[in-house]
């Protein structure tokens, strides 16, 4: 800590914050002043270096709305190599990124560094050599309070952190609250787990699943940056609104460049313009379709009936049909990718020719083998026996041609299931066909059967409970040689093909050995609200234990019955009431009711946003279709007509799950408005 004359502890911390921000500005200025004009090397080297400098400058930006540090650790003993063991303890400020002074001494330590770990895990029973843990409170980027825990003082009783609770409950205008300061010990264990292992986190609403996933990818990029820079990382979310939402959080965790995508974007080989019936979508998402596609891809392989005759100069070399058959059967039996086997086939035939050349007294080398592999006769055999496959055209044929589907699905799908999978109106071409989201996943599977999908180093999959087995396979292909963090809540599965169990999902992902963790202690949703929503669990996820919350907030739940015909006005009044409080308000309603509510809000002079749009002081109300509410959070939520939310889904269980999601989006208060009867579980 820099020297200061003040005796006020809070002012000393403010001085350190000011000095740290000044040091960060100096670090950025040093990078901005770098001149690479005289650096020797190619233009490629120059471009790469310039990009690295620009990335470094961006990483050193001072986010005014985000605390530079949020805690301090006072160790009992020195841990720096420069200090001797007898020189007493050291203090470290814990924040979103590393900051050092002009001499290189640390002023803020990155939350991901090993020395920061006790901030999250130290306790009175295991203080981890920490004498005092200090938490800081901020308002609008200004340090306004602090709170101390003396972990080795037996006279001090353990109690919940008031600042931690205040940080969680703090009304906000802008992106998701600063979650790096609120991570809990059981969450931190998951965050810092080894990069080589896959972890599945089952978490009830408000337990911090998304926080864990974002922290984990940020931590892994810090601890294994060189490795993951080569192999890549990816965060997969349920929709673009959700990705936009979490994208605003990553800079506060110290990371600016993390690739993000939805599952649909991953499999974007064809343009999705159609929609399946629930039955067709469920069947197309069934893992059995993988075998149907495997058969379809290999359906064109035929065995030769004629020999292959290669003419080289004045000599003719003959590979009989039975030898060609042996080569093809051997390649089929190896179960390598279709395209890789097709690439290998001409070389295998050429090798057979070379053996005959050697027997004839010639001494061919590799160049001769390559030339033979390109021979017209060899290429003709390959084209005839192992024809090229276009994945999209193959799936187009499979879904349009009943006879071809029957051939490939024999013994896998029943006749009724085959009929459900077929397009009602056959597609004429890849470009004009009305592909559905489930069809695109099938094309992705076929593409991988032809040519292996490149693997990333680590994938974070959020809201995983909504994926079909075929979608899990699509994600698993992106991390076959890497690891994954799977996040979800079985109770929030809102698709007809929603995950029944995590072991089953992990099997389809290709990570059956993954470790499953369960988070049941909530920090975001008030106890009154989560207890009310948990009444639905026996109907939607009988095997799950109800979540609890560490936050008691009497009056946080209001359930209000309104008269028929008064719905719109009651919703407007409830929104005005919620907006009297600080922070954000989300109005959640069945998708079909969104246009009418949008018109009513506009007519009433209530500005409102779409999900994923950042709120501001002028616009703090977001109108949220129930189908897009998953993963989002608001300080106050108004839920319009639960019966309409249920009715908007293809079956009651899915509808109740959608309602469960909507009921658990509030951080400080929930108002439920209904004219129609509530489901019996909530009466």
């Amino acid at each position: 800590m820099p020297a200061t004359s003040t005796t006020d502890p809070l002012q000393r911390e403010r001085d350190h914050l000011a000095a740290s921000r000044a040091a960060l500005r100096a670090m950025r200025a040093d990078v901005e002043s770098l001149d690479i004009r005289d650096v020797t090397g190619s233009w490629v080297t120059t471009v790469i270096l310039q990009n690295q400098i620009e990335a470094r400058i961006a990483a050193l930006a001072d986010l005014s709305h985000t605390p530079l540090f949020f805690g301090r650790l006072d160790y009992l003993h020195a841990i720096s190599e420069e200090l001797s063991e007898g020189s007493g303890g050291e203090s470290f400020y814990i924040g979103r990124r590393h900051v050092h002074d002009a001499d290189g001494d640390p002023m803020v330590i990155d939350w991901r560094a090993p020395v920061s770990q006790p901030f999250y895990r130290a306790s009175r029973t295991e203080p981890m050599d920490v004498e005092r843990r200090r938490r800081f409170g901020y308002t609008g980027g200004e340090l306004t309070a602090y709170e101390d825990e003396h972990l080795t003082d037996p006279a001090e009783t353990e109690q919940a952190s008031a600042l931690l609770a205040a940080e969680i409950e703090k009304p906000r205008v802008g992106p998701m609250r600063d979650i790096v300061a609120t991570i809990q010990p059981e969450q931190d264990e998951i965050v810092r787990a080894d990069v080589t292992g896959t972890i599945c986190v089952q978490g009830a609403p408000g337990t911090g699943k998304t926080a864990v996933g974002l922290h984990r990818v940020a931590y892994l990029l810090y601890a294994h940056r060189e490795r993951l820079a080569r192999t890549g990382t990816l965060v997969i979310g349920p929709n673009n609104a959700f990705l936009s939402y979490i994208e605003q959080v990553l800079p506060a965790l110290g990371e600016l460049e993390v690739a993000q995508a939805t599952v649909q974007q991953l499999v974007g080989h064809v343009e999705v313009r159609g929609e399946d019936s629930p039955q067709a979508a469920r069947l197309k998402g069934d893992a059995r379709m993988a075998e149907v596609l495997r058969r379809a891809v290999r359906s064109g392989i035929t065995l030769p009936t004629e020999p292959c005759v290669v003419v080289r100069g004045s000599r003719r070399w003959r590979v009989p049909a039975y030898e060609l058959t042996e080569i093809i059967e051997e390649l089929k039996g190896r179960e390598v990718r279709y395209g890789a086997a097709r690439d290998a086939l001409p070389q295998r035939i050429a090798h057979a020719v070379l053996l005959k050349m050697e027997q004839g007294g010639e001494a061919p080398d590799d160049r001769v083998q390559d030339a033979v592999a390109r021979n017209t006769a060899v290429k003709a055999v390959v084209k005839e026996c192992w024809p090229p496959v276009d994945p999209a055209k193959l799936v187009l044929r499979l879904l349009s041609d009943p006879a071809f589907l029957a051939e490939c699905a024999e013994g896998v799908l029943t006749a009724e299931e085959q009929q459900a999978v077929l397009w009602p109106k056959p597609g004429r071409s890849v470009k004009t066909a009305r592909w559905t989201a489930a069809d695109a996943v099938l094309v992705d599977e076929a593409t991988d059967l032809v040519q292996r999908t490149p693997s990333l180093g680590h994938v974070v999959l959020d809201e995983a409970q909504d994926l079909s087995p075929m979608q899990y396979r699509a994600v698993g292909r992106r991390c076959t040689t890497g690891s994954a963090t799977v996040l979800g809540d079985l109770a929030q599965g809102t698709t007809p093909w929603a995950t029944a169990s995590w072991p089953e999902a992990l099997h389809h992902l290709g990570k059956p050995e993954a470790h499953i963790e369960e988070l049941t202690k909530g920090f975001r949703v008030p106890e009154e609200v989560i207890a009310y929503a948990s009444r639905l669990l026996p109907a939607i996820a009988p095997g799950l234990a109800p979540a609890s919350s560490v936050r008691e907030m009497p009056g946080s739940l209001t359930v209000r019955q309104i008269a028929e015909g008064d719905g719109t006005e009651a919703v407007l009044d409830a929104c005005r009431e919620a907006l009297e409080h600080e922070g954000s308000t989300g109005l959640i309603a069945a998708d079909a009711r969104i246009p009418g509510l949008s018109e009513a809000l506009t007519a009433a002079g209530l500005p409102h946003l779409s999900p994923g749009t950042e709120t501001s002081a002028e616009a703090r109300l977001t109108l949220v279709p129930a189908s897009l509410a998953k993963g989002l959070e608001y300080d106050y939520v108004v839920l319009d007509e639960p019966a309409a939310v249920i009715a908007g889904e293809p079956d009651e269980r899915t509808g109740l799950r959608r309602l469960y999601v909507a009921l658990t989006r509030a951080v400080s208060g929930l108002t439920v408005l209904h004219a129609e009867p509530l489901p019996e579980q909530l009466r």
Side-chain angles (χ1 to χ4, degrees), residues 17 21 63-67 137-144 167 170-173 582:
L17 175 62
R21 290 197 183 280
L63 306 178
S64 59
H65 63 278
T66 302
Y138 286 81
T139 301
E142 295 297 320
L143 198 161
T144 55
E167 178 61 36
K170 183 192 299 180
R172 65 177 170 81
V173 173
E582 289 185 80

Side-chain angles (χ1 to χ4, degrees), residues 160-458:
S161 168
L163 282 182
L164 181 61
E167 178 61 36
I168 294 172
E169 297 168 12
K170 183 192 299 180
R172 65 177 170 81
V173 173
M176 185 188 294
R177 62 199 72 252
D178 184 22
I179 55 179
V180 70
T182 62
I183 202 77
Q184 297 299 296
E186 64 273 22
Q187 298 170 323
D188 191 64
E189 290 184 18
I190 299 171
V191 167
R192 297 175 193 262
D194 188 71
V195 68
T196 60
T198 290
I199 294 180
C200 175
V201 181
Q202 158 62 41
T207 55
K209 298 183 298 298
T210 298
V212 166
L214 296 179
H215 277 76
R216 179 150 172 75
V217 72
Y219 171 77
L220 292 177
L221 284 168
Y222 174 88
H224 307 280
R225 188 169 299 278
E226 185 175 338
R227 172 178 178 172
L228 293 179
R230 293 194 311 268
T231 56
T233 57
L234 176 67
V235 175
I236 301 175
N239 50 58
N240 286 325
F242 181 72
L243 293 179
S244 173
Y245 196 66
I246 65 172
E247 185 178 28
Q248 300 168 57
V249 179
L250 290 169
L253 301 181
E255 290 301 331
L256 294 174
E257 295 184 7
V258 177
Q260 300 176 53
T262 63
V263 173
Q264 204 55 55
Q265 289 167 347
L266 285 185
V267 299
H269 307 285
V270 292
E271 182 181 356
V272 173
R273 298 188 300 162
E275 189 171 339
D276 281 312
S277 68
Q279 181 190 16
R282 181 180 58 79
L283 285 169
K284 290 177 181 179
D286 194 301
R288 293 177 294 166
M289 288 301 298
E291 173 60 19
V292 175
L293 287 165
R294 191 192 70 82
R295 294 180 184 180
V297 166
R298 291 172 166 260
S299 64
I301 300 175
T302 59
L303 299 178
T305 57
E306 299 291 335
C308 176
V309 180
V310 176
V311 178
R312 293 277 300 174
S314 61
R315 305 193 66 175
R316 296 160 59 89
W317 306 100
R318 183 175 181 274
V319 181
Y322 76 87
E323 275 193 48
L324 296 174
T325 297
E326 289 175 357
I327 293 172
I328 292 172
E329 292 285 12
E330 194 270 336
L331 284 174
K332 285 175 62 178
R334 288 174 58 192
E335 291 292 335
V336 296
R337 293 297 193 280
Y338 184 92
R342 188 175 192 276
D343 292 339
L345 181 55
Q347 289 289 337
R348 296 293 300 275
I349 297 174
H351 180 69
V353 172
L354 258 66
L355 290 178
K356 297 182 184 305
M357 288 181 175
E358 290 172 350
Q359 293 168 359
E362 296 191 14
D365 56 17
D366 290 345
R367 289 175 298 176
V368 174
Q369 179 168 334
D370 290 339
V372 172
R374 296 192 298 269
N375 184 273
T376 304
V378 173
K379 291 166 68 174
V381 171
V382 173
K383 183 177 181 181
E384 177 69 23
C385 298
W386 207 290
V389 168
D390 181 298
K393 289 181 179 179
L394 181 81
V395 177
L396 176 75
R397 181 187 173 196
L398 192 69
L399 300 178
S400 303
D401 184 342
F404 183 52
L405 177 61
E407 174 191 337
C408 298
E410 183 180 0
V412 180
L413 301 179
T414 66
E416 291 76 14
E417 288 174 330
Q418 293 174 32
Q419 188 60 42
V421 166
L422 284 167
W423 283 337
K425 184 178 180 180
R428 292 187 175 182
S429 70
V430 170
K431 288 188 176 181
T432 61
R434 293 186 59 80
W435 298 100
T436 68
D439 297 336
V441 180
L442 299 182
V443 175
D444 190 69
E445 179 85 21
T447 300
D448 183 73
L449 288 167
V450 174
Q451 200 71 41
R452 183 184 297 277
T453 303
S455 174
L456 297 166
H458 193 80

Side-chain angles (χ1 to χ4, degrees), residues 4-81:
T4 178
S5 59
T6 181
T7 58
D8 178 6
L10 182 59
Q11 186 57 48
R12 287 203 302 271
E13 302 293 17
R14 287 171 173 164
D15 290 345
H16 186 78
L17 175 62
S20 299
R21 290 197 183 280
L24 180 61
R25 289 194 295 272
M27 290 170 63
R28 181 168 179 162
D30 286 344
V31 179
E32 289 175 331
S33 65
L34 291 174
D35 188 350
I36 63 172
R37 286 176 296 180
D38 295 331
V39 175
T40 58
S42 68
W43 68 270
V44 175
T45 305
T46 303
V47 170
I48 293 174
L49 186 57
Q50 185 61 47
N51 289 339
Q52 291 176 339
I53 290 174
E54 290 175 359
R56 178 67 173 162
I57 291 172
L60 290 170
D62 186 1
L63 306 178
S64 59
H65 63 278
T66 302
L68 190 55
F69 57 79
F70 49 80
R72 192 180 98 186
L73 290 175
D74 295 345
Y75 279 89
L76 287 168
H77 303 93
I79 60 176
S80 298
E81 294 181 0

Side-chain angles (χ1 to χ4, degrees), residues 94-135:
I94 313 302
R96 67 179 179 85
R97 61 152 300 107
H98 178 85
V99 179
H100 60 74
D101 62 18
D103 297 323
D105 295 325
M107 301 188 73
V108 180
I109 301 293
D110 194 301
W111 67 272
R112 298 166 288 187
V115 74
S116 303
Q117 185 172 325
F119 182 79
Y120 300 104
R121 296 202 194 177
S123 64
R124 295 184 188 283
T125 56
E126 190 177 351
M128 302 176 72
D129 202 40
V130 174
E131 186 278 325
R132 174 171 60 184
R133 173 168 51 204
R134 174 169 287 182
R135 299 182 189 276

